[in-house]
Every structure is written in structure tokens, then in C-alpha cells.
């Protein structure tokens, strides 16, 4: 008898929520579910896969130990219960895995632990070493010391960041439903499951994510979408499925691997909602398809077209119930992923429409010139994470009040895109040419002889020649912030502090050294990831 063929070795992250670990009312551990998870993980390891388990439940186990009826609201009480429950939780996992001879390790993280680049890389190295030793790391947030500023928010986000750190192939979000539905399947009999998601941004408008998690948990379906957005942007295939049947993980991996076995793979070459900065020309529509539970499931039309046109063999057996979020075909580099999802921003940099348009293109390298900066909010140091903001008028009436330069920027984004785009066509600093007849000491005063057409300048900024004396004064158009509202479109790492960026905003890169006394880089912010593409 031929031995069954297993998929090639892959790195798999499995996230298990509190509602899947302890009973919602009695707080007793759900031993049947936990045992099934343990058997699934051990069998995955036997097939050569590397597995990381992200486990919630510390507070839930602490509630049972202290005979507390409901989850407290006070932070200190929740931290105390987490300290009580975490030891018992990891002991429970160790006991179950020990029955099958599988060693485990406990890793407790907070966002603060990995906000420093060195500590982040140390954590990555620890994961890699544990996996190479055949150990199953069990990850949880260190609730005992976490506060709002350094919390991941929920373990869905933690699992997505973990999968990004170790460059996982799969992230399985196990929950109490078997996928993403158009509405709450417990309340709406017409709810339909979505089988494949190619664009998270598009699917948000087609599904209801208002359902909350259990009374013990902190998440819900909205946190699953956020986690899928983080993971797919890092190139991780993300699956939402039920925790009631953990063995379905095998069938899901086999099913999707069979789809990828043909020459023209339907699961590759497709981009998720964050992979392409340009908006899709046609929004994916939902097409009902029969589900094996008698319900309806839905699949975005673009994917079904691709599958129908491919020559790859059809997968064996029925499709296991799950929702698959396809990974980005252009995943973020590790540094960009770390900047975008791990760091807590210390301030904000406001950019114009032209800079936003250029930064949304992959060719820009995620680097912002001073010419595209309109302003700075908050105080931050060089090397810290910052939000990238664009500004919009609060109302149509306010747009009529601004100066003509402001009108050009806000009323017609294309008029602001061209100057910045042209100025960034080359990566070389746009240093002004000095008249050969002038001496070096008079180089600043001779700048007024240059052409007044500034390819890098923002239209809303007026540049005056630098004075000959030591006091440098730059005149800029008044920023009527009272008429503006801002929107976060991305994040990056600042090369200069907030005061320095404020001084050089709207100016050509060649002026940075003259104004600051030095120029470490011609770019004021680097490693920028644009989350919201220009419209």
C-alpha cells in the first residue's frame, strides 16, 4: 500500500481563543478541544511542519482558580488573574503535550518587548532556534505587565505579528464559527460564508463584523480581519475556521496545496487588499455557492474566473469549511512590517497629495523627501515610528476660505502629484547649481539667479532665497489648520526629530545641511508603508 503524500514542510501558526480553551460560564478547561489541538499539532510535527501555538485563556483559567464569576473590569484585577492563570495554563499544555512526548516552550510578549529592533530580532532568533530544536512555542501576551500603550489589543493581532516575525506559511485563526460570514450566522439564517477573500478592503463593505467575542475574550470577527490584514501583507496565507474540529487543518492544507499544484496556480499572483497601492478597477462581487452544511457560501468573482481558466487539476474531495485570505504577491519586507505593525507611533508627519501618490508606489522605496512635508504633529526623536497623515478640508464651505495654493492642493490632487512625482524621478539630491563666477562663500546669495521652477516643491509652499547672514529664515504659506482634518494613511521611521523636520518641511533636500548643520539623509522619513492608497 502506497504511503500517503504529505505537503512540503511549512511553518504554521495556530491561534486558539479563550472561548475555545475554557467554558464561558463554568470556566472549566475544555479538555476535549485542547486534546484535539494537541493531537493535531503533534501530527503536523510528524509530517515535518513547524508549528507555533498562540494561546489565550490565562485570565479565564485564573477566574476558575479563584472562583470569580465574571471577568473584572479593573486593569489591576485582570493582571492579577492573568498572573494566577498563566502558570496553570502552561502547566495544562505541558501535561497534554507531555503525554505524546512533545516538548513545548512558553513565550510571553508585549508590544514593548519587540518595539526595540534589537529585542525584536532576539525574539525572532529565539523562535527560529526553538523550531529548529523541534519544540512547539506557546505564545501569549504578558497580561501581567501589559498596559494599553504596549498591548497588542488581542491575541488575533499577536498571532498575526508572530506569523510575520517567523515568516510563516499559514496562520490559522480558530474560532467558534467555520469562517467569515456576511452577517452573524447565529442570528441571521440568511448569513452566507465567504470562501476566499482577495481584498480585505473590499470585503469590509460586504460583511458585518459588529459581532463581539465571548464574555471571556477580547476579540470578534473584526479583530480577525485586522489580523488577516497584517498577516497577508507579510505574505502569510490566513485561514478562519472552527476550533470544534482541529483536524480540519490537515484537510485545508491538503485542499489548498492541491490547488497550487498545477502549472497555473490560482492561489498565486493574486493580490490582497494591501498588496497593491492602486485601487482595484473592479470591486470583487460575491457569488453564492453551495456549502456542505446546507448553507450558502460565497466567493469573490475574480477568483472563480481565475480558477475556471486554469488547467490545474481539481482538488480531491469536498472543500473543507473555512475562509481563506490570500497572501499578498508583494509581501512587505521584515523592516517595513515591523515598523507598520509593531512600533507605537510617537508623532505624525503630514504630507501633501503628491507625496502620498508617490509613496503609494513600490518604486518609491517608502522614502519621503522634505519637499512633500506640510507639517509635524507631536514630538518625536530620530529613529522613532511616526504616522503619515494627509489632510482634507472639514467641509465644502471651508475649502472656499483657503488660499489659492491650498485650493490647488485640496481641490485637485493631480495638480499636487506632478511636482513631487517629477522631483523624485531621481534618487540623487537635487542640489542647486552654483554660478561658476561666484565664490563658495557667496553660494547662498546666488541662489536667486536659479530658475524659479522648483520640481520638488509643494505647491502650497513659497521658498525665499536664503539670507547671507547667519540667521536663516524661511517664509512659508500660513497653514490654516482650523480648516483641515487629517487621515492616517501609513507609518514610517523618522530620520530626523520633529523640530528638525518642521524646519525643513516643504524645502528641497539640498537645504537640509544648510538649515540643520548636517544631513544624514536626503529623506526625512523612510521605511514607509502606505495602508490607504490615494483615491
Amino acid at each position: 500500500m502506497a504511503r500517503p503524500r504529505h505537503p512540503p514542510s511549512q511553518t504554521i501558526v495556530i491561534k486558539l481563543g479563550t472561548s475555545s480553551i475554557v467554558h464561558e460560564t463554568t470556566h472549566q478547561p475544555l479538555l476535549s478541544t485542547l486534546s484535539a489541538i494537541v493531537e493535531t499539532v503533534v501530527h503536523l510535527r510528524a509530517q515535518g511542519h513547524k508549528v507555533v501555538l498562540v494561546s489565550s485563556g490565562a485570565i479565564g483559567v485564573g477566574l476558575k482558580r479563584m472562583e470569580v464569576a465574571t471577568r473584572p473590569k479593573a486593569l489591576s484585577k485582570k493582571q492579577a488573574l492573568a498572573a494566577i492563570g498563566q502558570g496553570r495554563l502552561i502547566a495544562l499544555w505541558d501535561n497534554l503535550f507531555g503525554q505524546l512526548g512533545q516538548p513545548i516552550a512558553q513565550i510571553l510578549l508585549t508590544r514593548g518587548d519587540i518595539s526595540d529592533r534589537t529585542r525584536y530580532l532576539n525574539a525572532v532568533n529565539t523562535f527560529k532556534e526553538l523550531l529548529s530544536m523541534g519544540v512547539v512555542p506557546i505564545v501569549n501576551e504578558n497580561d501581567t505587565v501589559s498596559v494599553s500603550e504596549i498591548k497588542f489589543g488581542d491575541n488575533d493581532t499577536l498571532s498575526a505579528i508572530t506569523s510575520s516575525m517567523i515568516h510563516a506559511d499559514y496562520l490559522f485563526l480558530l474560532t467558534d464559527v467555520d469562517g467569515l460570514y456576511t452577517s452573524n450566522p447565529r442570528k441571521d439564517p440568511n448569513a452566507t460564508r465567504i470562501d476566499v477573500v482577495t481584498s480585505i478592503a473590499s470585503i469590509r463593505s460586504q460583511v458585518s463584523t459588529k459581532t463581539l467575542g465571548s464574555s471571556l475574550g477580547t476579540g470578534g470577527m473584526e479583530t480577525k480581519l485586522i489580523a488577516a490584514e497584517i498577516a497577508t501583507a507579510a505574505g502569510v496565507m490566513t485561514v478562519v475556521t472552527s476550533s470544534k474540529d482541529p483536524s480540519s487543518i490537515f484537510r485545508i492544507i491538503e485542499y489548498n496545496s492541491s490547488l497550487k499544484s498545477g502549472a497555473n496556480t490560482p492561489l498565486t499572483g493574486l493580490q490582497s487588499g494591501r498588496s497593491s497601492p492602486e485601487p482595484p478597477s473592479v470591486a470583487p462581487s460575491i457569488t453564492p455557492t453551495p456549502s456542505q452544511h446546507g448553507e450558502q457560501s460565497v466567493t469573490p468573482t475574480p477568483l472563480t474566473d481565475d480558477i475556471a481558466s486554469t488547467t490545474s487539476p481539481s482538488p480531491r474531495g469536498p472543500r473543507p469549511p473555512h475562509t481563506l485570505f490570500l497572501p499578498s504577491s508583494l509581501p512587505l519586507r521584515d523592516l517595513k512590517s515591523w515598523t507598520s505593525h509593531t512600533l507605537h507611533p510617537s508623532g505624525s508627519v503630514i504630507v501633501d497629495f503628491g507625496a502620498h501618490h508617490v509613496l503609494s508606489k513600490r518604486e518609491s522605496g517608502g522614502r519621503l523627501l522634505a519637499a512633500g512635508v506640510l507639517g509635524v504633529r507631536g514630538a518625536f526623536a530620530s529613529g522613532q515610528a511616526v504616522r503619515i497623515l494627509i489632510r482634507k478640508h472639514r467641509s465644502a464651505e471651508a475649502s472656499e476660505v483657503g488660499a489659492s495654493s491650498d485650493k490647488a492642493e485640496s481641490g485637485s490632487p493631480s495638480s499636487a502629484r506632478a511636482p513631487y512625482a517629477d522631483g523624485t524621478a531621481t534618487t540623487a539630491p537635487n542640489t542647486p547649481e552654483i554660478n561658476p563666477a561666484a565664490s563658495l562663500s557667496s553660494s547662498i546669495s546666488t541662489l536667486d539667479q536659479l530658475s524659479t521652477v522648483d520640481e520638488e516643491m509643494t505647491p502650497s509652499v513659497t521658498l525665499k532665497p536664503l539670507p547671507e547672514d547667519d540667521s536663516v529664515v524661511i517664509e512659508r504659506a500660513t497653514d490654516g489648520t482650523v480648516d483641515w482634518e487629517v487621515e492616517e494613511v501609513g507609518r514610517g521611521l523618522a530620520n530626523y526629530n520633529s523640530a528638525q523636520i518642521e524646519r525643513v518641511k516643504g524645502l528641497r533636500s539640498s537645504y537640509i545641511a544648510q538649515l540643520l548643520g548636517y544631513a544624514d539623509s536626503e529623506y526625512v522619513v523612510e521605511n514607509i508603508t502606505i495602508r490607504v492608497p490615494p483615491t
Side-chain angles (χ1 to χ4, degrees), residues 322-443:
H322 68 284
T323 295
L324 175 68
F325 296 84
L326 294 181
S328 169
S329 60
L330 300 172
L332 296 177
R333 293 185 297 109
D334 179 72
L335 184 58
K336 278 194 173 185
S337 181
W338 173 71
T339 302
S340 180
H341 303 298
T342 304
L343 297 184
H344 184 75
S346 301
S348 304
V349 175
I350 305 173
V351 303
D352 62 25
F353 283 103
H356 182 206
H357 180 75
V358 171
L359 290 171
S360 66
K361 296 182 178 296
R362 191 174 182 88
E363 310 86 72
S364 71
R367 298 172 294 186
L368 173 66
L369 293 167
V373 178
L374 297 176
V376 174
R377 288 190 173 184
F380 52 86
S382 172
Q384 288 188 313
V386 293
R387 299 179 182 88
I388 304 299
L389 308 178
I390 60 171
R391 63 180 190 175
K392 301 178 179 179
H393 278 299
R394 297 184 184 276
S395 62
E397 291 78 6
S399 64
E400 298 176 359
V401 180
S404 59
S405 59
D406 288 338
K407 289 180 181 178
E409 176 196 336
S410 61
S412 176
S414 60
S415 64
R417 290 174 182 169
Y420 190 90
D422 292 341
T424 55
T426 176
T427 57
N430 192 1
T431 306
E433 297 181 2
I434 307 301
N435 191 327
S439 65
L440 290 177
S441 61
S442 63
S443 60

Side-chain angles (χ1 to χ4, degrees), residues 69-99:
T70 58
R71 181 186 176 101
K73 296 182 179 179
L75 176 62
S76 59
K77 291 184 178 180
K78 287 188 286 188
Q79 290 177 326
L81 288 173
I84 296 168
Q86 182 60 41
R88 297 176 67 86
L89 177 63
I90 199 66
L92 177 60
W93 282 120
D94 189 47
N95 184 24
L96 293 173
F97 275 104
Q99 301 300 319

Side-chain angles (χ1 to χ4, degrees), residues 181-353:
Y181 281 79
T182 54
S183 59
N184 189 344
R186 300 188 189 94
K187 298 180 179 180
D188 183 4
N190 297 320
T192 54
R193 189 180 66 244
I194 299 173
D195 286 342
V196 180
V197 176
T198 58
S199 171
I200 297 177
S202 298
I203 214 67
R204 284 183 185 275
S205 62
Q206 302 171 5
V207 301
S208 173
T209 58
K210 295 181 180 179
T211 55
L212 300 176
S214 67
S215 60
L216 295 178
T218 59
M221 198 52 67
E222 174 61 26
T223 63
K224 305 291 187 295
L225 288 181
I226 295 173
E229 196 171 18
I230 295 172
T232 54
V236 181
M237 193 173 296
T238 305
V239 175
V240 175
T241 191
S242 174
S243 62
K244 297 176 182 177
D245 183 19
S247 62
S248 64
I249 292 177
F250 297 103
R251 299 191 297 274
I252 292 172
I253 293 177
E254 182 179 3
Y255 181 89
N256 292 306
S257 296
S258 64
L259 288 178
K260 296 165 63 177
S261 62
N264 296 324
T265 303
L267 296 185
T268 58
L270 292 172
Q271 297 180 347
S272 69
R274 296 191 44 197
S275 63
S276 175
E278 297 297 334
S281 57
V282 180
S285 59
I286 292 182
T287 304
T289 56
S291 171
Q292 65 180 14
H293 290 291
E295 305 159 338
Q296 280 189 325
S297 63
V298 290
T299 305
T301 300
L303 182 69
T304 59
D305 293 340
D306 288 336
I307 293 179
S309 63
T310 185
T311 58
S312 61
S314 58
R316 294 172 293 178
R319 186 184 193 276
H322 68 284
T323 295
L324 175 68
F325 296 84
L326 294 181
S328 169
S329 60
L330 300 172
L332 296 177
R333 293 185 297 109
D334 179 72
L335 184 58
K336 278 194 173 185
S337 181
W338 173 71
T339 302
S340 180
H341 303 298
T342 304
L343 297 184
H344 184 75
S346 301
S348 304
V349 175
I350 305 173
V351 303
D352 62 25
F353 283 103

Side-chain angles (χ1 to χ4, degrees), residues 104-183:
I104 66 169
Q106 175 180 244
I107 297 181
L108 299 178
L109 295 175
T110 66
R111 194 182 291 271
D113 291 330
I114 54 178
S115 61
D116 177 79
R117 184 65 178 171
T118 301
R119 295 165 71 187
Y120 172 88
L121 294 176
N122 287 339
V124 171
N125 292 334
T126 300
F127 274 114
K128 290 181 177 179
E129 189 63 31
L130 288 172
L131 293 173
S132 67
M133 295 170 63
V135 176
V136 174
I138 298 182
V139 185
N140 195 5
E141 184 162 10
N142 193 354
D143 292 316
T144 303
V145 298
S146 290
V147 292
S148 59
E149 289 79 7
I150 60 174
K151 283 184 69 68
F152 291 102
D154 59 85
N155 275 9
D156 291 326
T157 303
L158 174 60
S159 65
I161 292 177
T162 300
S163 63
S164 173
M165 291 172 66
I166 64 176
H167 304 291
D169 299 287
Y170 274 98
L171 168 62
F172 284 89
L173 301 174
L174 302 187
T175 182
D176 51 2
V177 293
D178 58 6
L180 174 66
Y181 281 79
T182 54
S183 59

